[in-house]
Amino acid sequence: MMKRLINILISLCSIVLLTSCGNLVRERSHILKIYNWADYIDEEVLAEFPIWYKQQTGEDIRIIYQVFDINEIMLTKIERGHEDFDVVCPSEYIIERMLRKNLLLPIDRNFGKAPDYTPNVSPYIRQELNKISLPERTTTDYAVPYMWGTAGILFNKKFITTEEASSWHSLWNPKNKGKILMKDSYRDAYGTAIIYAHAKQLTDSAITVEQLMNDNSPEAIYLAEKYLKMMKPNIAGWEADFGKEMMTKGKAWINFTWSGDAVWAIEEADAVGVELDYAVPREGSNIWYDGWVIPRYARNVKAASYFINYLCQPEVALRNMDAIGYVSAVATSEIMEAKRDTTIKGFSDLSYFFGNIAGADSLQINPVQYPDRKIVERCAMIRDFGNRTELVLEMWSRVKGDNLNNGIVLLIFAVFGILFVWLVYGKIRRHKQKQRHHLRRKREK
């Protein structure tokens, strides 16, 4: 009888658990978890996706949206497998690392009645990202480019000339001591230091920017550390996102930043009478690409694929660009015409980006957002450092942590010395009190 009762209870528990699991699976299939950079999408575009998704699939979807400000933080969460994000937006070298570590799922481009908008992405950017493909994995099967741009110098024209900002020397110039904000990005800082250290060799065409930025030899790491420490007296702060705002308020003269942040800052500063501009130094720089990927632990691959496709529509891409200041990887005639600006002096060759669209080789367009072919040709993409990443991170930690001058170090040692003496004195004093107390008790006896 008891055995039969136990079996009935087990059966009932199993039914409850199965029902609960079924509800969880069903509920999770109606959720899309997105992990993106902060301030990197138009809020209305995000809010309208569930409506568009239901029109295409007849299904409801609810969005859970979280943000990060450093690639490595995002990657750590994905690697541990504790977070089941459905779609994330890493940079190119992190995409390469995720491919190597088998952390990505291929994007399903079977969108039912919705067209496949992903071919709207510039062939140039697809070609660049496919440079990081593995023999068995083509990058663009696993990643769809989202935004792209350059790394350069945002500067206050009241204090820094265009000529000064057109060289990385401005970051090392003693004139700018305490007036520079640097992105808290070890790969950008590393590449910049190596490029500046080899400025003469680059002028002589003895080496390329791509070779320098992706050199992780012990000699290169040592050189980067040396030059970054030489730069440190000029640094007012390391920032992930507040630099552009500080520049609009005139709190710094120079901000090593990304082109999208520069666009936002230039527009905001103009509104309050601060004149900012942006330059990609002549020595060369980093040209970066962010893309959407689906992690292997994703729980809603279908909705993730639809979301990526949704963002590749020209009208959606334009709205995102207008909201955040960065440049979409989408390259269609609608985008080109919308971004054409006849008030801009001079023409840029954007045929590398827009392809064979008529007029792309001589276009009046914002040069901060859309760099001319000549600027792109002196820039290069950052690659994954693989198992040598830790060595570069250790170097970066030493650079950022080595902030104490000799006076502060001596003060710290002095404080610790006083504390140590005080503790020893207290211990001796308590010991003597115990001895006196013990002697007094003996006399009383």
Side-chain angles (χ1 to χ4, degrees), residues 307-322:
F307 180 73
I308 293 170
N309 191 40
Y310 167 73
L311 295 177
C312 290
Q313 297 173 88
E315 62 273 21
V316 173
L318 280 168
R319 290 168 64 190
N320 275 332
M321 281 194 281
D322 290 341

Side-chain angles (χ1 to χ4, degrees), residues 71 74-75 79 89-104 128-140 142-143 187 210 213-214 216 289-291 293 381-387 389:
N71 268 302
M74 176 277 299
L75 180 62
E79 282 182 316
C89 188
S91 299
E92 67 296 298
Y93 72 99
I94 296 294
I95 294 174
E96 183 177 12
R97 194 177 308 171
M98 294 175 91
L99 279 172
R100 289 182 190 278
K101 295 189 173 187
N102 195 28
L103 291 172
L104 301 179
E128 288 297 298
L129 280 186
N130 278 335
K131 289 179 180 178
I132 61 177
S133 298
L134 300 179
E136 68 281 12
R137 298 189 189 101
T138 302
T139 306
T140 48
Y142 293 81
R187 284 304 306 266
E210 185 171 15
M213 280 202 316
N214 295 299
N216 54 33
Y289 312 93
D290 292 337
V293 299
M381 177 175 62
I382 288 175
R383 300 292 301 271
D384 177 32
F385 275 175
N387 57 14
T389 299

Side-chain angles (χ1 to χ4, degrees), residues 105-227:
L105 297 175
I107 296 167
D108 182 2
R109 288 177 167 82
N110 179 17
F111 301 113
K113 67 177 184 178
D116 181 3
Y117 297 109
T118 59
N120 287 337
V121 170
S122 167
Y124 157 76
I125 295 184
R126 289 203 302 269
Q127 177 182 314
E128 288 297 298
L129 280 186
N130 278 335
K131 289 179 180 178
I132 61 177
S133 298
L134 300 179
E136 68 281 12
R137 298 189 189 101
T138 302
T139 306
T140 48
D141 289 338
Y142 293 81
V144 171
Y146 178 53
M147 298 284 167
W148 70 290
T150 56
I153 292 176
L154 176 67
F155 61 100
N156 189 320
K157 296 180 75 172
K158 182 179 178 180
F159 306 106
I160 305 293
T161 67
T162 302
E163 175 59 26
E164 288 174 313
S166 296
S167 172
W168 289 122
H169 176 67
S170 57
L171 299 183
W172 279 267
N173 191 337
K175 165 199 165 186
N176 302 322
K177 184 176 181 178
K179 300 297 182 181
I180 297 174
L181 296 170
M182 279 289 289
K183 271 277 179 270
D184 189 3
S185 170
Y186 77 97
R187 284 304 306 266
D188 290 288
Y190 180 90
T192 299
I194 293 293
I195 288 170
Y196 179 62
H198 292 85
K200 187 178 185 306
Q201 292 95 319
L202 285 165
T203 302
D204 297 339
S205 300
I207 199 165
T208 68
V209 168
E210 185 171 15
Q211 288 172 324
L212 289 172
M213 280 202 316
N214 295 299
D215 182 358
N216 54 33
S217 65
E219 295 79 13
I221 295 173
Y222 168 80
L223 194 62
E225 181 172 354
K226 173 185 173 183
Y227 272 78

Side-chain angles (χ1 to χ4, degrees), residues 268-289:
E268 292 293 313
D270 184 61
V272 295
V274 175
E275 194 174 5
L276 303 180
D277 206 348
Y278 175 82
V280 177
R282 55 180 168 267
E283 295 92 348
S285 185
N286 163 29
I287 189 164
W288 53 265
Y289 312 93

Side-chain angles (χ1 to χ4, degrees), residues 3 20 177 184 275 299 413:
K3 185 175 180 182
S20 300
K177 184 176 181 178
D184 189 3
E275 194 174 5
R299 302 276 295 279
F413 274 108

Side-chain angles (χ1 to χ4, degrees), residues 59-74:
E59 300 170 5
D60 291 315
I61 197 76
R62 181 166 65 89
I63 291 174
I64 295 176
Y65 189 81
Q66 295 183 38
V67 300
F68 60 90
D69 56 13
I70 297 176
N71 268 302
E72 284 69 23
I73 291 175
M74 176 277 299

Side-chain angles (χ1 to χ4, degrees), residues 11 46 72 112 138 181 219 234 240 262 332 351 421:
S11 298
L46 190 64
E72 284 69 23
T138 302
L181 296 170
E219 295 79 13
N234 292 354
T332 63
S351 58
V421 170

